[in-house]
Amino acid sequence: MGMTNEQKPFPQQTSQEEAGIHTDFKNRMTYGEYLKLDQILTAQERLSNHHDEMLFLIIHQVSELWMKLILHETYAAIASIKANDLLSSFKRLARVSKTQSQIIQAWDVLSTLTPTEYMEFREQLGQASGFQSYQYRLIEFALGHKTGAILKIYEKDKELHERLVEAYHAPSLYDVSIQALANAGLAVDQHVIERDFSKPYVANDSVREAWLTVYRHVDRYWNLYQLGEKLVDIEDWLQQWRFRHMKTVERIIGFKVGTGGSSGVNYLKSVLEQRFFPELWDLRTEI
């Protein structure tokens, strides 16, 4: 008897183009090798035997990969703005926003986890928590929200701690954007340009007036106007991500204390009040 369709090792070639499909990879790099799938797909080691822990692991691992891309693009955008190459920064920042939309949608998948299911393996997590995500902290630092106390969490890993300290003292995306305003001849207080970048940014009247000028004279400052809107996109998506995070946590554990020791939902609600680019939001009332 001949082989059934299910048994055939390779689909029948139906065109001349398909005749060129490579099948011999003894001495060539494969798709799996390029992506290191042997490492990625074996990284989901459950600490319990509960079926739904796999969902919990994958959602958080995928989110960390998306955050890696966000950092990659944000750092590139910062470098472009520093070099007065605003056009290149727009592509990077647009990609950040699209990536943020993917992370937001991940909460829809995690929300299929019920309270009963999560409690079956929650104790296995110990004190491990998304609160400790160092990439999330790097994103906050890159956007300008600097919290020195958080650095203590990462002292266990000297190399990682040094990376976070460096990011903590570096100018943020908003800092270099303010510098771009000054480079365009708009009046910005010098102490804002020369400030200590490890300190949280405080809204400044000269920066507000500079952005107002940009938004009132769009034709003259088109690139800065575009930059401002790209920043608003990013903060908007970030806050939507935070909101979905908060509601997903509330849906699954209610108002329990987080595994990392935070107040859980109450903490997540409080961070919704944080602002990254205040003048860009305030000017909407004044325009």
Side-chain angles (χ1 to χ4, degrees), residues 185-227:
L186 294 161
V188 176
D189 292 342
Q190 195 63 27
H191 71 83
V192 176
I193 301 295
E194 298 175 351
R195 74 186 193 86
D196 180 353
F197 298 124
S198 69
K199 304 297 183 184
Y201 177 77
V202 177
N204 175 268
D205 286 342
S206 69
V207 174
R208 178 178 59 82
E209 287 299 323
W211 280 121
L212 277 170
T213 299
V214 168
Y215 275 72
R216 285 170 174 160
H217 304 280
V218 172
D219 291 342
R220 190 188 313 170
Y221 298 106
W222 176 253
N223 283 345
L224 290 171
Y225 173 70
Q226 287 284 87
L227 176 60

Side-chain angles (χ1 to χ4, degrees), residues 7 33 40 57 61 86 96 101 103 115 133 136 138-139 142 157 175 183 195 215 235-236 239 248 260 272 282:
Q7 294 171 322
E33 289 169 338
I40 294 173
L57 275 166
Q61 288 177 342
L86 297 186
V96 168
S101 72
I103 294 185
S133 169
Y136 178 72
L138 286 171
I139 290 172
D157 185 329
D175 289 316
N183 292 344
R195 74 186 193 86
Y215 275 72
E235 181 166 350
D236 190 350
Q239 295 294 44
T248 302
L272 289 172
D282 291 343

Side-chain angles (χ1 to χ4, degrees), residues 7 12 15 21 28 35 37 51 55 58 69 89 112 135 168 175 189 202 228 269 271 275:
Q7 294 171 322
Q12 290 183 340
S15 68
I21 293 176
R28 296 174 180 169
L35 294 177
L37 292 181
H51 173 84
L55 163 68
I58 289 175
L69 180 59
S89 77
T112 64
Q135 289 200 122
Y168 178 68
D175 289 316
D189 292 342
V202 177
K269 284 184 176 180
V271 300
R275 305 177 81 199

Side-chain angles (χ1 to χ4, degrees), residues 26-89:
K26 291 185 177 70
N27 299 305
R28 296 174 180 169
M29 179 178 66
T30 66
Y31 171 81
E33 289 169 338
Y34 173 67
L35 294 177
K36 294 186 170 32
L37 292 181
D38 57 333
Q39 298 176 35
I40 294 173
L41 298 180
T42 57
Q44 295 74 45
E45 297 182 6
R46 289 180 291 171
L47 298 180
S48 73
N49 292 322
H50 198 278
H51 173 84
D52 295 303
E53 189 182 353
M54 183 64 73
L55 163 68
F56 192 82
L57 275 166
I58 289 175
I59 287 294
H60 287 84
Q61 288 177 342
V62 169
S63 293
E64 289 291 337
L65 284 172
W66 282 129
M67 283 192 272
K68 183 172 184 176
L69 180 59
I70 288 172
L71 286 167
H72 179 69
E73 299 297 342
T74 301
Y75 289 151
I78 288 173
S80 294
I81 296 169
K82 278 185 175 180
N84 200 32
D85 183 8
L86 297 186
L87 293 179
S88 293
S89 77

Side-chain angles (χ1 to χ4, degrees), residues 174 201 203 207-208 211-212 215 228-240 272-287:
Y174 199 44
Y201 177 77
V207 174
R208 178 178 59 82
W211 280 121
L212 277 170
Y215 275 72
E229 286 301 289
K230 289 289 188 292
L231 296 181
V232 169
D233 285 342
I234 288 172
E235 181 166 350
D236 190 350
W237 282 110
L238 179 67
Q239 295 294 44
Q240 290 189 51
L272 289 172
E273 300 300 318
Q274 292 173 359
R275 305 177 81 199
F276 292 84
F277 317 130
E279 293 89 353
L280 285 168
W281 291 96
D282 291 343
L283 68 79
R284 278 147 168 79
T285 305
E286 298 186 52
I287 288 293

